[in-house]
Amino acid sequence: MKTSLAIPVTKTQSSRLSQTDFSNLVFGKTISDHMFVADFKNGEWSDLRIEPYAPLHLNPSNAALHYGQSIFEGLKAYKNENGEIIIFRADANWSRMNESAERMCMPSLPEEVFMEGLLQLLELDKAWVPSAKGASLYIRPFMFATDDYIGVKPSDTYKFIIFTCPVGNYYSKPVSVKVETKFTRATEGGTGAAKTAGNYAASLFPALQAQKAGYDQLLWTDGKSHSNIEESGTMNVMFKINGKIITAPTNTGTILKGITRNSVIQLAKDWDESLEERFLSVSELKSALEAGQVDEAFGTGTAATIAHIYKIHLDGKDYILPEKPADAFSHRVLAALDGIKYGTVADPHDWIIKI
Ligand SMILES: Cc1ncc(COP(=O)(O)O)c(C=O)c1O
């Protein structure tokens, strides 16, 4: 892909690439050499630049630290067999970031700034994209308030940064989940559909309780009555019950509009699978589990693409799901999405960009 915006680059004098053990990557711990930065002041984005990844200088009165005007995105770059770098649906991350920005009273970011910053950063740090099977370069674009002012109001100034980290396979093992009926992730009128820092902060305590009880993740239910399944950790969630795939709709403003979710729905349509976007109630899930009718349950998200769920805790009981056949929908859709992302199968919906 051709790039056009002239973004000044300051290259690192001490690359960490040669000291990085690519066979032993822990998610989010290893950061690549450079970052893209843009500043918002006087009503516009300016001072676009790529510079060495380094600590930021912030005043203690920084508004984001106090009131959480902070949003982020997550996407990945992959290396194909020819060593070319591929990114998946980055335009969808850009538009979702702007939806989050609107909800959090933050400025929107022009597509050109997001895409050119991303493409030019990846071009510079392309040696950081791992080539092992299932590995990738995780990309973290984020925006936060930079006013030095502790009055509660939208900041006038912001910083947008993209940095990247090489990562191995995220959830290689199937996961266990606990249906959460006490704590709430989001409620109608709240910020559940925005990818904003506070949502994740609020989820830490309940998630930790679930982990202490021996489960990998929570299955969130709606905040009002805790009677409908919404999403799971940092994933949307889908169930195949009696041959039908069911996933929660995203029009309540309580669920993140996952890009993987959207891609899985599109592939299910392409394959004439029966799929319903509707709420699955906890009681319907329980009856289906009791009757052995849950053929598949899985999370969808950038980190894992598809995370198979093998155990669901509900009403004090653990339900173990049956082993899935090799041609199960979740296996097929994972293989198709991986194939598109690594450039080994056709990309009929123009989801990828080769750098
Ligand atoms: C709360 C939440 N739900 C769902 C998802 C899945 O979204 P995506 O498929 O775009 O990664 C994420 C991850 O971004 C998330 O944080």
Side-chain angles (χ1 to χ4, degrees):
M1 170 144 184
K2 285 233 170 342
T3 54
S4 56
L5 210 63
I7 300 176
V9 176
T10 309
K11 283 194 187 164
T12 180
Q13 296 302 306
S14 50
S15 171
R16 286 170 278 104
L17 189 60
S18 62
Q19 304 137 34
T20 301
D21 179 3
F22 278 81
S23 61
N24 198 10
L25 294 167
V26 180
F27 184 87
K29 288 261 188 214
T30 307
I31 314 286
S32 320
D33 279 335
H34 298 93
M35 59 184 183
F36 169 75
V37 186
D39 290 314
F40 185 85
K41 45 184 183 273
N42 303 322
E44 60 179 20
W45 289 100
S46 59
D47 203 10
L48 279 50
R49 62 212 185 260
I50 290 175
E51 54 190 38
Y53 177 83
L56 301 167
H57 297 282
L58 297 177
N59 282 316
S61 60
N62 167 277
L65 296 179
H66 297 270
Y67 308 121
Q69 261 192 308
S70 176
I71 57 175
F72 66 100
E73 272 303 323
L75 67 159
K76 283 179 170 177
Y78 307 84
K79 196 175 268 177
N80 71 11
E81 283 164 352
N82 305 326
E84 292 165 310
I85 312 297
I86 292 175
I87 48 174
F88 182 74
R89 306 200 68 179
D91 54 330
N93 291 94
W94 163 73
S95 55
R96 188 172 66 187
M97 182 146 201
N98 279 344
E99 285 177 34
S100 300
E102 187 178 359
R103 178 63 181 83
M104 304 309 292
C105 293
M106 298 167 80
S108 68
L109 195 78
E111 184 169 15
E112 197 186 26
V113 174
F114 186 98
M115 291 305 293
E116 292 278 336
L118 175 58
L119 295 174
Q120 294 187 36
L121 178 68
L122 289 179
E123 182 62 42
L124 181 64
D125 275 346
K126 60 180 174 231
W128 284 89
V129 186
S131 35
K133 196 171 184 303
S136 56
L137 188 76
Y138 183 77
I139 301 164
R140 172 50 60 90
F142 67 112
M143 188 201 296
F144 62 97
T146 52
D147 274 10
D148 293 327
Y149 177 61
I150 55 161
V152 181
K153 74 165 201 44
S155 181
D156 291 325
T157 61
Y158 296 85
K159 212 178 253 307
F160 173 68
I161 298 182
I162 308 176
F163 68 83
T164 68
C165 359
V167 295
N169 236 343
Y170 191 55
Y171 280 133
S172 33
K173 286 198 306 234
V175 295
S176 58
V177 294
K178 173 181 173 286
V179 176
E180 179 59 65
T181 50
K182 178 178 170 209
F183 294 102
T184 298
R185 190 194 90 90
T187 196
E188 284 187 39
T191 59
K195 212 161 160 57
T196 186
N199 288 344
Y200 297 82
S203 74
L204 296 177
F205 182 77
L208 207 60
Q209 305 301 307
Q211 281 153 19
K212 279 188 187 151
Y215 302 94
D216 297 306
Q217 274 299 348
L218 294 177
L219 269 188
W220 293 109
T221 52
D222 66 284
K224 225 185 234 169
S225 60
H226 294 294
S227 55
N228 287 327
I229 303 291
E230 295 221 317
E231 57 181 321
S232 173
T234 56
M235 297 185 294
N236 296 105
V237 65
M238 301 195 178
F239 298 88
K240 189 164 184 184
I241 298 178
N242 276 337
K244 261 196 192 115
I245 304 156
I246 302 168
T247 191
T250 54
N251 58 2
T252 52
T254 57
I255 296 176
L256 193 83
K257 290 181 190 159
I259 293 159
T260 317
R261 173 189 179 279
N262 179 278
S263 310
V264 170
I265 291 174
Q266 183 59 57
L267 292 182
K269 282 185 186 152
D270 294 353
W271 300 343
D272 286 330
E273 297 278 346
S274 157
L275 185 144
E276 292 176 0
E277 282 184 72
R278 65 158 174 95
F279 281 111
L280 176 69
S281 71
V282 176
S283 59
E284 186 183 352
L285 175 62
K286 189 175 174 183
S287 310
L289 286 166
E290 296 277 357
Q293 291 165 340
V294 181
D295 309 325
E296 303 180 50
F298 54 96
T300 68
T302 296
T305 304
I306 300 293
H308 302 283
I309 296 172
Y310 76 95
K311 181 159 74 179
I312 301 178
H313 181 87
L314 200 169
D315 273 355
K317 196 170 159 191
D318 282 345
Y319 295 89
I320 307 287
L321 298 186
E323 280 282 309
K324 280 175 248 184
D327 67 346
F329 175 76
S330 51
H331 288 311
R332 283 186 287 124
V333 86
L334 175 59
L337 285 172
D338 275 352
I340 294 171
K341 291 171 175 181
Y342 288 94
T344 55
V345 306
D347 170 29
H349 299 288
D350 279 335
W351 283 338
I352 63 168
I353 296 178
K354 264 188 204 163
I355 294 174

